[in-house]
Amino acid sequence: MRQLTVVAAGRVQWREVPEPTLAERHGALVRPLAAAVCDFDRAVIAGDYPALPYPIAIGHEMVAEVVKLGEEVRTLRLGARVVLPLHISCGACPSCRARRTNSCQARPPLSNYGLGARGGDWGGAMSDLVYVPWADHMAAPLPAGLTALDCAAVGCNLADIHRTLSPQLQRFTDPAVLVVGGRAHNMALYAVVMARALGARRIDFLDDDAERLEEAERLGARPMRMGPSEGRSYPIVVECGGAPERLATALGRVAADGVCTPVWPYAESFAVPVGAMFYRNATLVTGQPHARAHMDPVLDLMLRTGMSSTSIPVEVLPWAEAPEAYGRGGIKRIFIRE
């Protein structure tokens, strides 16, 4: 089968690889129909993460069609369209039952689609076929009224943004939200859209890029140029900057008892202002989201509000153009199989 593969920094091509097999009775084989490019994918392709050795079957945001089922799968049917999370999880261990699906105890840490050997060689979204273990748990049926295009970014970007906002918006009374833009610029725009869908009345967007600030304003945020602090602090800060200095800026804006959640996967260590955070009882949340646990609430929110993967600027491209277009440019791209 064909699989879009990063073979070296900056080099992406189709490769012929063996088809995955239905290895377990609780698994399924699926055919991806829509695959979205995550901001992190661009960094992987650029070679910014040397701990992820090539080749890498790229892609971890996908909607797929079920083509084969294990004998123990009970909730899916052949031909069903499903949304998949980026992480592998079993749904039955103590962590999964507690909705901490990224900490699943039945598989090694960092078991992800789209990370190559470091992620367990689970394949990538831009493949003819993908294996889904524990399919009853992992695969979320596409709700009636939503399309594969609508849901392409649910399994990573939208699930991740949901964990940065929803728990905190329920905790505080009418809180203001600050989104710090940067490398994860599409996730920053999703944060504006989701904050509005969740009922946030004030959303400020901090960046130094005029185009991103303009787009954030169009989506409903108050744009602010990166620079000296204006003195305002926020109980909810979503940090999409992807650079230590942007994280430091974000942490400096956290209000008393507030929470800052970076979405960028920082691989290096650097200083954080622990002393200042201590005096404000500020919380820094690190790590990947428990994506599968957030997918169902995201799908429900989409049905209730009309929010979708295309609520920010998106370029929809045919599957065949992926080697030339996947991971290039800044706009969110979603590839659709014809």
Side-chain angles (χ1 to χ4, degrees):
M1 70 168 189
R2 283 203 318 174
Q3 186 176 75
L4 192 68
T5 305
V6 188
V7 295
R11 291 180 54 202
V12 181
Q13 63 187 38
W14 294 119
R15 293 184 75 185
E16 287 292 331
V17 299
E19 291 186 359
T21 59
L22 195 57
E24 296 148 320
R25 297 162 68 92
H26 51 67
L29 293 179
V30 301
R31 176 177 179 263
L33 302 174
V37 181
C38 177
D39 293 312
F40 176 65
D41 286 332
R42 295 184 174 89
V44 172
I45 293 170
D48 294 346
Y49 286 83
L52 301 177
Y54 300 127
I56 295 173
I58 198 68
H60 58 263
E61 293 188 325
M62 66 183 117
V63 176
E65 177 186 18
V66 177
V67 298
K68 194 170 183 179
L69 290 170
E71 296 177 8
E72 295 181 5
V73 178
R74 297 289 180 261
T75 62
L76 303 177
R77 57 175 177 78
L78 294 178
R81 295 188 169 196
V82 297
V83 187
L84 296 179
L86 72 160
H87 308 125
I88 308 301
S89 60
C90 73
C93 70
S95 292
C96 285
R97 291 199 303 271
R99 298 178 58 79
R100 299 192 303 270
T101 53
N102 184 44
S103 301
C104 175
Q105 298 167 35
R107 48 75 168 171
L110 207 66
S111 294
N112 287 36
Y113 292 115
L115 291 186
R118 183 68 179 86
D121 277 328
W122 289 99
M126 295 296 303
S127 303
D128 288 342
L129 289 174
V130 171
Y131 179 60
V132 185
W134 301 295
D136 280 327
H137 159 69
M138 283 186 57
L142 195 72
L146 296 178
T147 68
L149 179 59
D150 291 332
C151 298
V154 167
C156 175
N157 280 186
L158 292 177
D160 197 354
I161 292 300
H162 188 266
R163 64 100 178 215
T164 72
L165 290 169
S166 181
Q168 313 311 331
L169 284 166
Q170 295 174 44
R171 174 184 167 197
F172 295 101
T173 302
D174 195 23
V177 174
L178 176 66
V179 179
V180 179
R183 291 185 79 182
H185 46 271
N186 290 311
M187 293 187 73
L189 296 178
Y190 277 137
V192 174
V193 171
M194 188 170 291
R196 288 191 64 196
L198 289 168
R201 290 197 289 176
R202 175 168 179 142
I203 308 157
D204 291 350
F205 191 94
L206 184 65
D207 207 333
D208 56 2
D209 182 272
E211 185 175 344
R212 295 197 294 261
L213 287 166
E214 182 179 346
E215 188 56 42
E217 184 175 25
R218 187 188 70 80
L219 293 172
R222 175 178 174 265
M224 300 190 307
R225 279 277 181 181
M226 190 77 69
S229 172
E230 296 181 355
R232 186 178 183 91
S233 58
Y234 302 81
I236 303 172
V237 180
V238 183
E239 194 273 314
C240 305
E245 61 273 16
R246 300 229 170 184
L247 178 57
T249 296
L251 290 170
R253 296 296 190 99
V254 180
D257 302 304
V259 178
C260 174
T261 310
V263 301
W264 191 258
Y266 288 106
E268 70 279 14
S269 297
F270 45 83
V272 296
V274 174
M277 292 171 62
F278 175 85
Y279 286 111
R280 286 180 279 121
N281 289 330
T283 299
L284 169 63
V285 178
T286 64
Q288 291 182 296
H290 300 298
R292 183 60 187 92
H294 285 273
M295 282 170 44
D296 294 328
V298 168
L299 292 169
D300 179 66
L301 184 67
M302 292 167 67
L303 287 169
R304 290 189 287 108
T305 67
M307 181 193 72
S308 81
S309 300
T310 62
S311 293
I312 68 171
V314 165
E315 188 174 8
V316 181
L317 297 172
W319 205 261
E321 293 185 16
E324 294 75 32
Y326 194 99
R328 311 300 200 270
I331 193 171
K332 182 76 174 181
R333 285 180 169 167
I334 300 176
F335 292 87
I336 299 294
R337 194 188 294 271
E338 298 174 356

